[in-house]
Amino acid sequence: MRAKVSDYMNTAVVTVSLNSTMEEILSILSRESSGRVIVLDNEKPISIITTRSIIAAFSEYSLDLFSLKAKDLMSEDLISVTPDTPVIDAIKIMINNNIGGLPVVENQVIRGLFTEREVINVIANLKFSGIVDSIMSTKIETIPQNSTILEAAKIMTMRGIRRLPIVNEYRMVGIITAADIVKYLEKHRNIGNVLDAGTKNPWTIDRYTSIIDAAKIMKEKKIGTLPVVDNSKLVGIVTERDLMYSLLTVELNS
């Protein structure tokens, strides 16, 4: 694969200052599909705040989260790439650093973002074999439907994940993501129920769905997770990260 980051990057970049309030940050993250904002200091990009940053702070501070500012949330180093960085190299950087996106910087100026969502766009335009059964995660963290978004945030932070299927006993009734919690907090500023914040009856696939078709569904529906069901039973989950690994594997074996 010879594609460069500049061929796929998202050029709609939103920035905040060190003293931007939580209300401002939540408002931005609630409407930005990239799930991240860049923190500037004297016009220079110095850090990044993601939905994961918000979930970690919420799990620790609960609703006292709203007293924090951007400078209190800068837990992630600013790892960046240039527009000429090969896509496959950018994917390796994201996987090796366990991050979901990279600012694209040239001469200390932000040109765009390259995230897991852009990787999905790459995969959806390719042709290679494989079914989701070969890449899906089968060790699935779930959360009961009577749980709160704070409980969900604590599980996400502890397990290092960004989504949880919502279950009623053994039946999946919804899914909640870090982005869902951010949107709920921005709108309601209270600790609500996971089903009120998440998506009920989410889009699902079966284990024999091709990897390419899964990528196309994610691209079309603008989602980053697909629960895998077999006879109405949840048997796995496929995320943008799983698809990134599949692309890297294909590239390394080609």
Side-chain angles (χ1 to χ4, degrees):
M1 180 189 301
R2 299 186 178 183
K4 298 182 295 185
V5 164
S6 58
D7 297 328
Y8 288 93
M9 68 182 184
N10 177 4
T11 57
V13 183
V14 180
T15 63
V16 295
S17 70
L18 288 169
N19 289 310
S20 292
T21 65
M22 182 55 60
E23 286 86 354
E24 293 170 326
I25 297 167
L26 290 178
S27 177
I28 293 169
L29 290 177
S30 292
R31 65 176 186 266
E32 286 300 314
S33 61
S34 68
R36 60 206 73 234
V37 294
I38 306 299
V39 183
L40 298 183
D41 185 18
N42 294 322
E43 302 302 318
K44 179 182 177 182
I46 61 169
S47 190
I48 190 168
I49 296 173
T50 68
T51 53
R52 183 181 290 184
S53 311
I54 301 298
I55 296 307
F58 179 49
S59 67
E60 181 177 357
Y61 297 105
S62 186
L63 294 181
D64 288 340
L65 167 81
F66 285 92
S67 65
L68 303 179
K69 294 185 177 181
K71 61 185 177 184
D72 302 315
L73 296 169
M74 300 189 307
S75 58
E76 299 185 30
D77 295 330
L78 189 67
I79 302 172
S80 63
V81 291
T82 68
D84 290 332
T85 301
V87 164
I88 201 67
D89 289 347
I91 291 173
K92 291 176 184 177
I93 292 170
M94 290 162 66
I95 290 174
N96 290 337
N97 291 279
N98 192 30
I99 54 178
L102 293 162
V104 183
V105 179
E106 186 176 39
N107 298 324
Q108 295 191 347
V109 176
I110 300 174
R111 301 300 185 188
L113 286 170
F114 185 78
T115 71
E116 291 171 333
R117 185 61 52 86
E118 279 66 59
V119 177
I120 296 304
N121 293 337
V122 174
I123 296 173
N125 292 324
L126 296 177
K127 292 182 179 180
F128 60 87
S129 60
I131 58 175
V132 297
D133 185 72
S134 65
I135 65 168
M136 69 183 186
S137 303
T138 55
K139 294 182 179 179
I140 313 165
E141 289 283 347
T142 62
I143 191 165
Q145 67 174 6
N146 59 352
S147 303
T148 68
I149 61 170
L150 182 57
E151 291 170 316
K154 289 180 181 295
I155 294 172
M156 289 179 185
T157 301
M158 185 183 306
R159 303 298 184 192
I161 55 180
R162 288 177 291 166
R163 64 272 299 173
L164 289 166
I166 304 168
V167 295
N168 178 10
E169 294 184 348
Y170 299 105
R171 184 173 65 91
M172 185 181 66
V173 293
I175 192 165
I176 186 167
T177 68
D180 292 330
I181 295 176
V182 167
K183 291 175 182 177
Y184 185 91
L185 287 171
E186 192 271 335
K187 186 175 181 180
H188 298 284
R189 294 190 63 156
N190 62 41
I191 301 176
N193 180 273
V194 288
L195 267 182
D196 294 330
T199 300
K200 298 176 183 177
N201 302 312
W203 191 276
T204 63
I205 55 176
D206 65 51
R207 65 199 318 156
Y208 302 109
T209 302
S210 72
I211 294 172
I212 295 300
D213 284 345
K216 289 179 179 178
I217 292 170
M218 286 187 183
K219 179 181 178 180
E220 178 186 348
K221 304 298 179 182
K222 297 182 179 180
I223 54 178
T225 306
L226 284 168
V228 183
V229 297
D230 188 358
N231 292 324
S232 301
K233 180 182 178 182
L234 181 66
V235 295
I237 193 167
V238 174
T239 67
E240 293 165 324
R241 179 57 55 94
D242 295 320
L243 294 185
M244 279 207 317
Y245 276 112
S246 72
L247 178 58
L248 181 59
T249 301
V250 169
E251 180 67 17
L252 292 175
N253 292 331
S254 62

